[in-house]
């Protein structure tokens, strides 16, 4: 019995550790995704200052579209594609469509506008506060109870956000820095709302199918509502230059890898530990911008990043419990 229990423990520990690696991959790939998106926005046709908002929204739509293609391929490969139609036309599918609006036209658009106006690092740091925002919204709308640890985490995220956005890095490079910070907060709000609405749906249907429904319907929302509204089809079609397509494919792979790794890790290692690892993405953005582009982070950015990430970890769960995997008693 002891040998069987030990083998079971080793299996469970290996499973949990695999989940940790998966969630870490999710955070790293999302960080790389932000840096590459920042580079994309410096290229034609997204670098036209007269159409900064339109270009950012179109970049967000194409980014979402390519990620949905790769998630579709992933589900076809795993033989799960039949569940797509059942999910889409169900009550749970309706909830995911709401999530698609929150994560797509609301969050992803705010994210791209933030990157365009404030830079990848500042936007990543501000948006990493989304777990605290989601928890606060759950308290308001779902009447969930707020313990002392979670409250401290939310307050730290607020303080970290103030520290991050209080001082603009350079007016010449980002003349609309503070507007970009506002858009980054809108992105965090969108992802927070997605968490509130999506928690129920993810318990009922396969997460990989939920991601596919979310990304696909989000892309359709851009095509049907957002792009016609901003009269952006000319920019949309002119975006597909040969070099840009390579970037879009790379971004689609990064985004889909991040989402799939996140949900796989979520099932393996638990919500708190998974979220704590996922929200490390602003750290990777700062490190990548420094290593690849030579962008030296400001003191307020470093402090704000540390405070927000720590606050988001407190919101996600008890740090002491996150450090322990699975306990075994003979």
């Amino acid at each position: 019995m002891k040998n069987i229990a030990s083998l079971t423990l080793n299996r469970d520990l290996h499973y949990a550790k695999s989940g940790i690696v998966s969630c870490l991959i999710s955070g790293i790939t999302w960080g790389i995704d932000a840096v590459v998106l920042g580079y994309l926005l410096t290229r034609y046709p997204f670098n036209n200052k007269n159409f900064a908002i339109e270009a950012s929204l179109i970049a967000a739509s194409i980014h979402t579209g390519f990620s949905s293609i790769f998630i579709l391929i992933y589900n076809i490969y795993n033989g799960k594609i039949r569940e797509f139609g059942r999910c889409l036309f169900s009550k749970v599918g309706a909830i995911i469509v709401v999530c698609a609006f929150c994560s797509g036209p609301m969050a992803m658009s705010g994210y791209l506008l933030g990157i365009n106006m404030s830079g990848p690092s500042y936007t990543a740091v501000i948006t990493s506060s989304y777990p605290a925002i989601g928890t606060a919204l759950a308290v308001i709308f779902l009447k969930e109870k707020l313990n002392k640890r979670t409250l401290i985490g939310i307050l730290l995220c607020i303080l970290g956000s103030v520290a991050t956005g209080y001082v603009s890095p350079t007016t010449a490079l980002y003349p609309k820095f503070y507007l970009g910070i506002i858009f980054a907060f809108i992105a965090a709000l969108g992802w927070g709302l997605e968490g509130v609405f999506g928690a129920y749906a993810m318990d009922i249907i396969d997460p990989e199918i939920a991601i596919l429904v979310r990304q696909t319907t989000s892309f359709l929302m851009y095509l049907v509502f957002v792009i016609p509204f901003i009269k952006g089809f000319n920019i949309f079609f002119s975006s597909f230059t040969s070099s840009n397509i390579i970037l879009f494919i790379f971004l689609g792979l990064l985004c889909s890898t991040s989402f799939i790794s996140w949900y796989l890790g979520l099932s393996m290692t638990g919500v708190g530990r998974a979220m704590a690892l996922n929200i490390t993405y602003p750290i990777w953005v700062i490190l990548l911008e420094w290593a690849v582009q030579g962008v030296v982070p400001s003191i307020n950015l470093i402090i704000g990043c540390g405070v927000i990430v720590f606050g988001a970890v407190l919101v996600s769960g008890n740090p002491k419990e996150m450090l322990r995997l699975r306990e075994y008693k003979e």
Side-chain angles (χ1 to χ4, degrees):
M1 291 296 291
K2 181 178 179 180
N3 289 334
I4 294 174
S6 296
L7 288 171
T8 303
L9 173 64
N10 289 333
R11 182 200 64 191
D12 290 345
L13 286 174
H14 177 74
Y15 193 67
K17 288 175 182 177
S18 297
I20 288 172
V21 172
S22 184
C23 292
L24 195 57
I25 290 172
S26 175
I28 293 171
T29 50
W30 193 249
I32 298 172
D33 185 85
V35 175
V36 178
L37 280 170
Y39 171 69
L40 175 71
L41 293 174
T42 66
R43 297 174 58 84
Y44 174 84
F46 306 107
N47 57 359
N48 189 332
K49 299 299 181 183
N50 295 323
F51 301 100
I53 292 178
E54 292 88 342
S56 298
L57 294 175
I58 289 165
S61 70
I62 299 173
H63 176 268
T64 302
F66 271 84
S67 73
S68 66
I69 290 171
F70 286 111
I71 294 170
L72 173 65
I73 293 170
Y74 177 83
N75 279 288
I76 292 173
Y77 175 78
N78 285 330
K80 297 181 179 181
I81 195 60
R82 291 181 179 179
E83 297 297 321
F84 177 76
R86 297 178 193 172
C87 173
L88 184 61
F89 299 104
S90 66
K91 291 181 180 179
V92 178
I95 296 174
I96 298 175
V97 169
V98 175
C99 292
F101 170 77
C102 294
S103 66
M106 185 175 180
M108 203 64 206
S109 297
Y111 189 58
L112 265 292
L113 287 164
I115 289 174
N116 201 350
M117 297 178 183
S118 301
S121 292
Y122 285 86
T123 302
V125 170
I126 293 296
T127 55
S128 66
S129 64
Y130 77 88
I133 293 175
T135 301
L137 290 170
V139 171
I140 295 170
F141 296 108
L142 303 180
K143 307 303 179 183
E144 292 187 1
K145 294 182 179 180
L146 197 65
N147 59 38
K148 188 183 295 184
R149 186 200 70 246
T150 306
L151 178 60
I152 292 172
I154 292 173
L155 292 175
L156 285 175
C157 286
I158 294 171
L159 291 173
S161 299
V162 173
T164 301
Y166 184 70
V167 180
S168 172
T170 165
T171 306
L173 186 59
Y174 298 114
K176 297 181 179 179
F177 174 80
Y178 294 109
L179 181 58
I181 293 296
I182 292 172
F183 280 121
F185 274 115
I186 292 173
L189 176 62
W191 283 324
L193 284 168
E194 180 196 9
V196 173
F197 289 113
Y200 169 74
M202 295 299 175
D203 288 337
I204 297 176
I205 63 170
D206 193 315
E208 288 129 317
I209 294 297
I211 299 168
L212 178 59
V213 173
R214 190 188 81 165
Q215 291 296 87
T216 304
T217 53
S218 179
F219 178 58
L220 290 174
M221 287 178 188
Y222 276 113
L223 285 182
V224 176
F225 300 109
V226 178
I227 296 178
F229 180 76
I230 62 174
K231 299 178 181 178
F233 278 110
N234 288 335
I235 301 175
F236 179 84
F237 289 116
S238 62
S239 301
F240 293 96
T241 63
S242 56
S243 56
N244 280 354
I245 288 174
I246 294 172
L247 281 175
F248 285 132
I249 292 172
F250 183 50
L251 285 165
L253 283 169
L254 286 171
C255 183
S256 56
T257 300
S258 182
F259 278 136
I260 292 168
S261 297
W262 157 248
Y263 283 108
L264 287 175
L266 196 66
S267 64
M268 292 179 182
T269 196
V271 176
R273 195 180 293 115
M275 190 173 289
L277 290 167
N278 178 259
I279 57 177
T280 60
Y281 70 86
I283 298 173
W284 303 111
V285 174
I286 293 171
L287 289 174
L288 283 167
E289 281 208 304
W290 172 70
V292 177
Q293 301 176 355
V295 178
V296 180
S298 63
I299 296 298
N300 65 298
L301 177 62
I302 294 173
I303 294 172
C305 178
V307 173
I308 289 175
V309 169
F310 182 67
V313 168
L314 288 179
V315 171
S316 303
N318 190 327
K320 290 182 180 180
E321 293 178 1
M322 291 179 192
L323 294 174
R324 296 197 301 266
L325 292 179
R326 294 175 185 261
E327 295 182 346
Y328 164 63
K329 295 180 181 180
E330 294 186 12

